[in-house]
Amino acid sequence: MAALKNVQKLGGISAILEAIIYGIAFIIYGAVLVYPPSDANTIQELKFLSDNQTILMILNLIVYVLFGVLLSVLVLAIHERLKNTSHVLSKIASVFGLIWVGLVIASGMIANIGLDSVIRMGAKEPEQAMLIWKSVEIVTEGLGGGNEIVGGVWVLLLSIAALKGKSFSKPLVFLGCIVGSAGILTIYPADIFTEIFGLSQIIWFIWLGIFMLRNNQKFL
């Protein structure tokens, strides 16, 4: 019992920390880092990457790698909460959750390795370096930045499982269905769906975390 209680606490804390990480990413990427304009030349783009290498690498570690680690704890905690009432659906949801963990962590590792390689190459072959960077961006966006299909499926499935087993409150389930649907819709390359998924998931993570912490004793 004590172990299950600890898992639920860790899951709740992880969910809240995930929301904080999302918020940090939105603030820094949207307001702090000023990216070169679309018509910037290769030298300007390379200079931006070089000048901001440290902060970009730290961000990748936080937004992708740390996020993925916390997500693995949350996936486990939610599965433990749902498995008794929706065993099969909870297991399927957990599979997608763990796949998302791998994709997110891989994105951060690829981004950091790629960034370091591009800056090293940029001193001698700036044009070639930026071509490689474009490839790195495509890979990282494809794995976990530009589309959120896997994450969306995870949230949607666990929300359905929670509704079936009455494990979460109905408003939280409803919000989860919105978040999950928005994530799945990112299969269409439009920024609006990615933004809706990200912003709504911040609210969902906070709500979920508070719910798991407050309802820990009831669950056990």
Side-chain angles (χ1 to χ4, degrees):
M1 286 294 184
L4 288 174
K5 184 176 180 180
N6 289 335
V7 169
Q8 293 304 302
K9 282 186 176 180
L10 287 173
I13 293 169
S14 295
I16 294 172
L17 290 175
E18 303 241 88
I20 293 172
I21 289 174
Y22 256 123
I24 291 172
F26 272 111
I27 292 171
I28 295 182
Y29 285 127
V32 177
L33 288 177
V34 181
Y35 283 84
S38 57
D39 59 348
N41 59 38
T42 299
I43 301 301
Q44 290 173 320
E45 292 181 355
L46 192 59
K47 185 177 186 302
F48 170 82
L49 294 177
S50 180
D51 290 345
N52 296 282
Q53 180 181 9
T54 300
I55 189 171
L56 287 171
M57 294 186 78
I58 292 173
L59 275 174
N60 287 333
L61 286 174
I62 295 173
V63 174
Y64 291 103
V65 179
L66 178 58
F67 182 92
V69 172
L70 293 171
L71 182 62
S72 67
V73 177
L74 182 58
V75 170
L76 173 62
I78 293 177
H79 175 64
E80 289 295 327
R81 181 178 284 266
L82 300 180
K83 68 179 183 180
N84 291 330
T85 55
S86 304
H87 184 66
V88 175
L89 199 53
S90 176
K91 285 181 70 174
I92 296 172
S94 296
V95 169
F96 280 96
L98 293 175
I99 291 173
W100 194 27
V101 169
L103 291 176
V104 170
I105 293 177
S107 296
M109 294 171 67
I110 291 171
N112 272 353
I113 292 173
L115 177 61
D116 184 64
S117 298
V118 164
I119 291 175
R120 289 174 183 273
M121 182 182 292
K124 297 179 179 179
E125 303 176 81
E127 296 288 342
Q128 185 66 25
M130 290 311 299
L131 284 176
I132 293 175
W133 179 244
K134 297 300 181 185
S135 299
V136 171
E137 286 186 317
I138 291 172
V139 172
T140 54
E141 286 290 297
L143 286 177
N147 70 73
E148 304 288 357
I149 300 168
V150 176
V153 171
W154 172 64
V155 176
L156 184 60
L157 288 178
L158 71 85
S159 296
I160 295 172
L163 178 63
K164 178 182 176 182
K166 298 180 180 179
S167 303
F168 296 161
S169 65
K170 287 186 178 180
L172 179 57
V173 168
F174 179 71
L175 177 59
C177 289
I178 293 175
V179 174
S181 298
I184 293 170
L185 286 173
T186 60
I187 191 172
Y188 182 78
D191 291 340
I192 184 64
F193 295 123
T194 304
E195 291 170 1
I196 291 174
F197 177 79
L199 291 172
S200 62
Q201 195 166 52
I202 290 176
I203 301 171
W204 182 77
F205 273 136
I206 293 173
W207 194 342
L208 176 65
I210 293 172
F211 182 89
M212 293 179 73
L213 291 173
R214 285 184 174 177
N215 291 273
N216 195 18
Q217 198 65 37
K218 181 180 178 182
F219 164 70
L220 297 173

